[in-house]
Amino acid sequence: MINHPLECWLNLRMDRPLNSGSVSPEELQAWQFGLLRKTISHAVKSSPFYSKQLQGVVPDEILSPADLNKLPVTTPEDLRKNPNSFLCVSQDEVARAITLSSSGSSGTPKRLFFTSGDLERTTEFFQYGMGPLVGEGETVLALLPDSRPGGVGNLFAESISRLGAKTVYPEDPSDIPTILNLLLNSRASCLLGPAIHIHALARLWKSKRLPKNQVRSALLCWDLLPPVAIETISNTFGCEIFSHWGMTETCLGGAVECFQGSGMHLREPDFYLEIADPETGLPVPDGTSGEILFTTLSRRAMPLIRYKTGDLGQIISGPCTCGLSMRRLGDVKGRLDTDILLPTSEYLSMAELNEIILQYVGVLDFKVNYQQQSLALNIALDIAPESKIPTDLSRALTSYPKLSRTVLENNLKINIIIDNNDGSISSGFGKRLITSS
Ligand SMILES: [Zn+2]
């Protein structure tokens, strides 16, 4: 017998009795592919983009993962070019449209549409997924994009209120000192937000010698989860850490952990997720890392079929010890094409710099710009009030093997400056990347 609320939700969605226990992987997949065929039919019938893109596809021939290669992929570029051509319902039925400005160089924003039913399914996922983290009468401090009334981030508050708990939001997610006051005043016991924000909050919390016993759980989402930041958060608050994967294209919710370090259980009733080799586009076996692609299974306004997320991850093989039937996503380590190529022909990632730079107590966040022509790595630190640039940070960077080689062989210059020193940080809700100029 499984007690996790997400298993009840899966049974509800599959029209199975609530006490019928686990769903077998075969049963789950067969049910998902039934929904996937319906999604193809709905998209071909109602979306100008898919009626063209999926011309000649026979939905009844898509029976298992091996058949997915008969379906072309959908790229973020397709979405940018003509978002309206994806729309499958009338404008009257669109409850929410979100414009996503691009963090990359292409500039054109993406636009996504959701019906009230699409939004409700996300609220349900949050409600059942957050059940083990939040008790009745408790408060969640949430750092979410679009948390205005009616905004997509607000779906989270709705799900929390269904659990008998409440949500508080900061007005400015970069203003960490104000967020710290909100955390103290609200007595919130659960934190939700990007790892870098919660990490900065933990650093300030510790600098004020505040107690360990207030926060009992933190759900980290929207970007990389640097191990060094997770350790700081966990040690500072003495709390359990849960990871979440999702993006606006998944209507925020995508996958959530059952306990720390277990991998994130997928939102199987609403998405079929696959992992593809970034070079060949072919599916890779469970346990192998590749690009995450998903197909929506219940989306009415704007179904997405084999959407290329650009995120890299892997499906963890085998069942979870918690007994949940949903597959698990593990090891979401970064995004395609975001590492920089050093003149020594080695790639440098934000994940590597996180581990070097975030280990210093006074460092809350940082930005990195790589100047290819003049060969300089410019690091702008956000530090805690009354902190300084850590004395041995420069040495730590130049002794990191890849950087050490580039300094010696190519005379790379590493410049470190202070950006913010009032406790605020520069990161927003976008992915933190090394920029190039
Ligand atoms: Zn589990």
Side-chain angles (χ1 to χ4, degrees):
M1 187 65 202
I2 296 143
N3 291 320
H4 199 293
L6 281 175
E7 195 72 23
C8 296
W9 176 62
L10 181 63
N11 280 313
L12 274 172
R13 290 289 299 272
M14 292 182 74
D15 280 331
R16 296 168 94 244
L18 276 185
N19 56 2
S20 52
S22 299
V23 181
S24 73
E26 297 75 22
E27 194 183 348
L28 176 59
Q29 192 181 89
W31 176 70
Q32 286 182 298
F33 272 74
L35 297 175
L36 195 143
R37 289 189 289 277
K38 281 187 192 159
T39 296
I40 296 170
S41 303
H42 172 57
V44 168
K45 190 172 147 221
S46 311
S47 137
F49 174 83
Y50 282 121
S51 68
K52 199 168 156 201
Q53 167 103 337
L54 300 179
Q55 216 167 29
V57 168
V58 182
D60 286 348
E61 289 179 357
I62 312 296
L63 301 170
S64 73
D67 300 320
L68 288 172
N69 271 335
K70 295 174 186 168
L71 303 172
V73 297
T74 305
T75 65
E77 206 43 51
D78 293 328
L79 257 185
R80 280 194 195 98
K81 263 189 228 156
N82 190 357
N84 286 325
S85 69
F86 283 81
L87 195 56
C88 287
V89 297
S90 70
Q91 287 288 352
D92 290 350
E93 289 174 79
V94 173
R96 186 85 189 150
I98 301 174
T99 303
L100 269 183
S101 35
S102 167
S103 54
S105 53
S106 50
T108 323
K110 288 181 237 169
R111 206 157 155 72
L112 292 141
F113 305 98
F114 303 99
T115 64
S116 55
D118 296 334
L119 300 175
E120 170 58 23
R121 282 179 282 278
T122 286
T123 305
E124 272 193 5
F125 174 68
F126 284 146
Q127 178 191 340
Y128 287 93
M130 290 298 289
L133 277 73
V134 187
E136 206 175 330
E138 290 190 312
T139 299
V140 182
L141 170 62
L143 305 172
L144 284 163
D146 200 14
S147 55
R148 293 164 289 144
V152 172
N154 204 251
L155 302 175
F156 179 78
E158 167 59 24
S159 69
I160 294 302
S161 73
R162 290 180 192 178
L163 293 167
K166 72 169 184 177
T167 310
V168 291
Y169 302 106
E171 271 180 34
D172 176 0
S174 300
D175 181 357
I176 306 298
T178 305
I179 297 173
L180 186 136
N181 286 334
L182 183 61
L183 176 56
L184 278 170
N185 295 335
S186 65
R187 302 286 309 151
S189 56
C190 176
L191 301 171
L192 178 138
I196 193 68
H197 293 67
I198 309 285
H199 157 91
L201 184 60
R203 288 292 192 204
L204 289 194
W205 187 268
K206 194 159 191 175
S207 73
K208 292 183 184 299
R209 296 190 168 80
L210 290 164
K212 261 191 176 186
N213 58 2
Q214 180 180 328
V215 175
R216 66 180 184 91
S217 61
L219 183 70
L220 307 181
C221 40
W222 317 128
D223 198 5
L224 291 182
L225 306 180
V228 62
I230 290 183
E231 203 183 320
T232 300
I233 298 165
S234 168
N235 288 342
T236 303
F237 293 117
C239 67
E240 267 199 287
I241 309 272
F242 299 83
S243 308
H244 173 270
W245 175 83
M247 50 179 60
T248 310
E249 289 91 326
T250 64
C251 196
L252 301 188
V256 67
E257 254 181 337
C258 56
F259 56 86
Q260 189 164 330
S262 59
M264 297 170 277
H265 286 282
L266 293 170
R267 186 180 162 186
E268 303 274 26
D270 296 313
F271 303 102
Y272 184 79
L273 195 125
E274 45 177 323
I275 309 287
D277 183 313
E279 300 284 321
T280 63
L282 294 171
V284 298
D286 287 358
T288 307
S289 191
E291 184 180 4
I292 302 171
L293 272 67
F294 71 81
T295 299
T296 61
L297 302 178
S298 59
R299 190 78 60 76
R300 297 301 299 166
M302 193 175 190
L304 293 171
I305 293 165
R306 304 196 74 214
Y307 181 75
K308 281 166 70 73
T309 64
D311 276 0
L312 295 167
Q314 58 173 280
I315 298 287
I316 299 173
S317 311
C320 182
T321 51
C322 77
L324 272 175
S325 308
M326 290 99 154
R327 293 177 299 157
R328 286 171 296 153
L329 179 64
D331 227 14
V332 178
K333 280 234 162 93
R335 290 182 59 75
L336 289 168
D337 304 328
T338 53
D339 297 352
I340 55 161
L341 181 61
L342 297 168
T344 51
S345 301
E346 292 171 292
Y347 284 95
L348 180 72
S349 70
M350 194 65 176
E352 289 170 281
L353 293 176
N354 281 334
E355 294 310 301
I356 302 169
I357 300 172
L358 294 180
Q359 63 176 309
Y360 292 96
V361 171
V363 177
L364 306 180
D365 189 8
F366 63 93
K367 275 188 302 211
V368 191
N369 176 258
Y370 175 57
Q371 284 177 306
Q372 241 163 329
Q373 292 297 320
S374 52
L375 262 188
L377 196 64
N378 301 311
I379 297 169
L381 302 177
D382 298 325
I383 56 172
E386 291 159 36
S387 290
K388 293 188 175 122
I389 295 176
T391 45
D392 61 341
L393 173 58
S394 181
R395 193 170 47 82
L397 287 161
T398 50
S399 59
Y400 186 63
K402 283 178 191 177
L403 292 172
S404 159
R405 277 189 285 276
T406 320
V407 169
L408 278 174
E409 293 170 24
N410 307 89
N411 199 23
L412 172 79
K413 287 175 276 308
I414 299 178
N415 305 312
I416 305 170
I417 58 158
I418 292 174
D419 192 358
N420 294 300
N421 60 359
D422 59 358
S424 63
I425 62 171
S426 45
S427 293
F429 288 111
K431 311 268 179 194
R432 293 167 67 245
L433 304 170
I434 304 177
T435 56
S436 292
S437 59

